[in-house]
Amino acid sequence: MADASPRERRAAVRVIFLGPPGAGKGTQAARLAAHLGVPKVGTGEMLRDAIAKETPLGNKAHPYMEAGNLVPDDLLVALVRERIAEPDCARGFVLDGFPRTLPQAKGLEEMTGGDAHAWVVFRFEVPRDELMRRLSGRRWCPRCQATYHVVNDPPKRKGICDVCGTALVQREDDRESVVAHRLQEYEERTRPLIEYYRTRARMLAIDGNRSKDEVFRDLLHALEVPA
Ligand SMILES: [Zn+2]
């Protein structure tokens, strides 16, 4: 924006979270976006929403999601391109669940003017057995979308949403067999992005095997943002 004051330009922040499924990226992305006052652009939610509404893109993506496979890059790039063109993203945004492949990262660089150096990339590391434990214990309310964990964050009444009383379900992509597949896909398709961004962005390693509050403090510290 040509008329943005220096302060507004400085405030524009673009954040990417890299790391395996279950590393806590989604939770931290939501918290960071709220703290910075910018939108969280979450491809998982955007896709689930498109599938529920049976939009053309949702109908194309549904079979991939159901099988626990990654949705094709061109569908996701189109989804993100549309979203970040909206006015509320002008001062920055926090991406969640994207990019996960090299073609997605290249698509992102293209749609944001090739200026990858403006990005902050948080790279989360969490041991594999901890990831399995976290993911297979997730439960979700299909009505109000509240999330729980059978060990870490259980509802007051077993299997029932605290907020609205609906029976909780396990998402298809959190079933154990699908989780193992997702971790494998991460290794093959997403891990190469660490090399891609190493020289292109400000990349910061985060130990994700700690409490949510500790991880969040690290993020703010790395961004030099007051708590
Ligand atoms: Zn609920």
Side-chain angles (χ1 to χ4, degrees):
M1 256 190 294
D3 60 350
S5 72
R7 190 171 158 209
E8 280 168 333
R9 274 204 301 274
R10 230 183 0 256
V13 61
R14 294 169 178 171
V15 181
I16 292 170
F17 286 87
L18 281 186
K25 305 183 301 296
T27 305
Q28 298 293 341
R31 200 165 162 185
L32 184 63
H35 193 87
L36 298 173
V38 299
K40 185 190 86 154
V41 176
T43 44
E45 291 149 37
M46 285 159 68
L47 278 172
R48 277 193 287 276
D49 193 51
I51 287 168
K53 289 179 179 157
E54 299 186 8
T55 68
L57 194 142
N59 289 338
K60 279 188 204 166
H62 193 194
Y64 297 94
M65 298 275 283
E66 208 167 38
N69 288 320
L70 297 179
V71 173
D73 292 327
D74 55 341
L75 290 183
L76 285 169
V77 168
L79 193 72
V80 171
R81 179 179 283 122
E82 242 171 60
R83 179 64 190 90
I84 68 174
E86 287 174 31
D88 64 332
C89 288
R91 285 184 58 249
F93 47 87
V94 174
L95 283 172
D96 176 30
F98 184 93
R100 276 186 184 158
T101 67
L102 214 47
Q104 288 173 22
K106 287 175 178 168
L108 180 63
E109 204 170 321
E110 215 175 85
M111 74 178 87
T112 53
D115 187 14
H117 285 282
W119 294 93
V120 173
V121 178
F122 287 118
R123 175 164 63 85
F124 279 49
E125 295 291 349
V126 179
R128 186 189 164 93
D129 54 351
E130 172 65 11
L131 294 174
M132 291 296 290
R133 198 184 63 76
R134 286 185 185 180
L135 288 165
S136 53
R138 279 186 186 171
R139 297 295 180 270
W140 177 66
C141 174
R143 183 154 174 232
C144 75
Q145 313 209 341
T147 56
Y148 301 88
H149 190 280
V150 293
V151 179
N152 299 347
D153 186 20
K156 290 191 187 79
R157 280 167 59 209
K158 195 181 172 205
I160 302 293
C161 179
D162 290 346
V163 181
C164 71
T166 302
L168 300 178
V169 296
Q170 186 175 39
R171 280 196 189 124
E172 276 166 353
D173 58 0
D174 288 335
R175 278 184 291 119
E176 213 160 317
S177 58
V178 181
V179 165
H181 187 59
R182 287 168 69 200
L183 290 175
Q184 185 63 28
E185 270 188 332
Y186 169 76
E187 290 300 322
E188 287 168 9
R189 305 183 65 176
T190 309
R191 196 176 268 288
L193 293 186
I194 294 170
E195 276 314 307
Y196 181 78
Y197 281 117
R198 203 181 290 282
T199 55
R200 281 182 172 81
R202 194 173 154 225
M203 190 159 61
L204 301 151
I206 299 291
D207 174 5
N209 196 17
R210 293 173 306 148
S211 78
K212 288 174 186 174
D213 288 346
E214 285 171 317
V215 172
F216 189 63
R217 270 199 297 275
D218 266 17
L219 302 186
L220 295 184
H221 184 73
L223 291 172
E224 297 170 18
V225 169

